[in-house]
């Protein structure tokens, strides 16, 4: 059996991609109560619904992992981001350099995207920065977001691993990019072992800054 694993940044809460729909609903309810322990029932219900929508969208996209970050910063702001991991099938024995060149060419067709090649512990990757807007409620203004996608070919198992981080917390983007870089360097290809869940380290969550 072939697969991959990676270390999830300590700052992210798992949305339960490995659970079925009923189990995930229970998990997200518990997560909402953990995050909004001092909040109202309405706040917890709203958070659960929002996280449920994120999880449903990630599941539809075939994600192997989805998580959210929510924490206070030293200057009394709330910093938040979402993280999704998924993979796509590559042609057997695909050349990583050819995959990287094609990705750079295709992603650069979007004039709003800032595309770069980078090196990781698993080899070359492509990083794409783009701006998007999200409208949670139709009558409210759209929320500007920054999305960072990392495309990492894994030719040993003929897969293209994609990490997508999205955040409205623009001042914190450099820190999130650093976390995404660290995460990418923890990717490990597994060719003999059963498929594991992504590893979250350590057990205790730590402040982002």
């Amino acid at each position: 059996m072939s697969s991959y694993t990676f270390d999830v940044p300590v700052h992210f809460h798992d949305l339960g991609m490995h659970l079925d729909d009923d189990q995930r609903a229970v998990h997200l309810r518990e997560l909402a109560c953990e995050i909004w322990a001092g909040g109202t029932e309405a706040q917890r219900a709203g958070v659960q619904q929002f996280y449920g929508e994120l999880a449903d969208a990630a599941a539809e996209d075939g994600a192997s992992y989805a998580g959210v970050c929510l924490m206070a910063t030293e200057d009394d702001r709330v910093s938040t981001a979402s993280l999704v991991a998924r993979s796509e099938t590559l042609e057997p024995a695909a050349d990583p350099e050819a995959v990287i060149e094609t990705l750079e060419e295709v992603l650069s067709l979007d004039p709003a995207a800032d595309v770069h090649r980078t090196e990781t512990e698993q080899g070359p990757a492509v990083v794409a920065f783009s701006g998007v807007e999200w409208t949670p409620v139709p009558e409210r203004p759209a929320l500007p977001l920054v999305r960072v996608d990392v495309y990492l070919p894994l030719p040993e198992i003929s897969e293209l691993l994609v990490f997508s981080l999205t955040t409205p917390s623009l001042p914190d983007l450099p820190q999130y990019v650093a976390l995404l870089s660290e995460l990418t360097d923890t990717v490990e290809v597994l060719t003999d072992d059963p498929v594991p869940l992504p590893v979250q380290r350590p057990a205790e969550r730590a402040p982002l800054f």
Side-chain angles (χ1 to χ4, degrees):
M1 182 177 293
S2 299
S3 189
Y4 55 82
T5 188
F6 52 87
D7 291 351
V8 177
V10 65
H11 318 91
F12 284 81
H13 300 268
D14 185 0
L15 294 183
M17 290 297 97
H18 58 289
L19 304 174
D20 63 33
D21 291 345
D22 291 338
Q23 291 173 327
R24 188 182 305 142
V26 173
H27 170 71
L28 294 179
R29 173 62 181 172
E30 293 173 348
L31 180 58
C33 291
E34 174 189 345
I35 293 175
W36 288 92
T40 66
E41 180 61 28
Q43 288 174 323
R44 288 190 287 270
V47 169
Q48 180 182 357
Q49 179 180 354
F50 173 60
Y51 287 172
E53 292 172 356
L54 290 178
D56 289 345
E60 290 177 5
D61 203 26
S64 59
Y65 172 84
V68 291
C69 172
L70 179 68
M71 65 187 71
T73 66
E74 292 181 351
D75 57 352
D76 296 325
R77 291 181 295 104
V78 174
S79 182
T80 184
S82 64
L83 174 65
V84 174
R86 59 182 177 83
S87 63
E88 302 175 4
T89 301
L90 292 176
E91 291 295 325
D95 178 6
E97 287 295 334
V99 174
I100 290 297
E101 290 177 6
T102 300
L103 284 169
E104 283 187 287
E105 181 178 356
V106 171
L107 294 171
S108 295
L109 294 175
D110 182 356
D114 186 12
V115 181
H116 303 272
R117 176 195 170 113
T118 188
E119 296 296 327
T120 76
E121 294 292 334
Q122 279 291 340
V126 173
V127 182
F129 296 82
S130 57
V132 296
E133 290 188 341
W134 177 58
T135 306
V137 181
E139 60 270 18
R140 293 183 180 177
L143 178 66
L145 307 172
V146 173
R147 175 166 170 162
V148 187
D149 295 297
V150 178
Y151 298 83
L152 177 62
L154 302 175
E156 303 95 325
I157 57 174
S158 301
E159 291 190 47
L160 175 67
L161 178 56
V162 183
F163 292 117
S164 299
L165 186 146
T166 305
T167 179
S169 304
L170 304 188
D172 307 323
L173 182 60
Q175 286 82 5
Y176 283 122
V177 171
L179 282 179
L180 194 55
S181 176
E182 293 173 6
L183 178 154
T184 304
D185 280 335
T186 69
V187 172
E188 180 181 358
V189 173
L190 304 175
T191 56
D192 299 318
D193 298 330
V195 177
L197 294 174
V199 177
Q200 185 139 22
R201 54 170 174 81
E204 295 295 330
R205 293 189 175 88
L208 180 57
F209 307 116

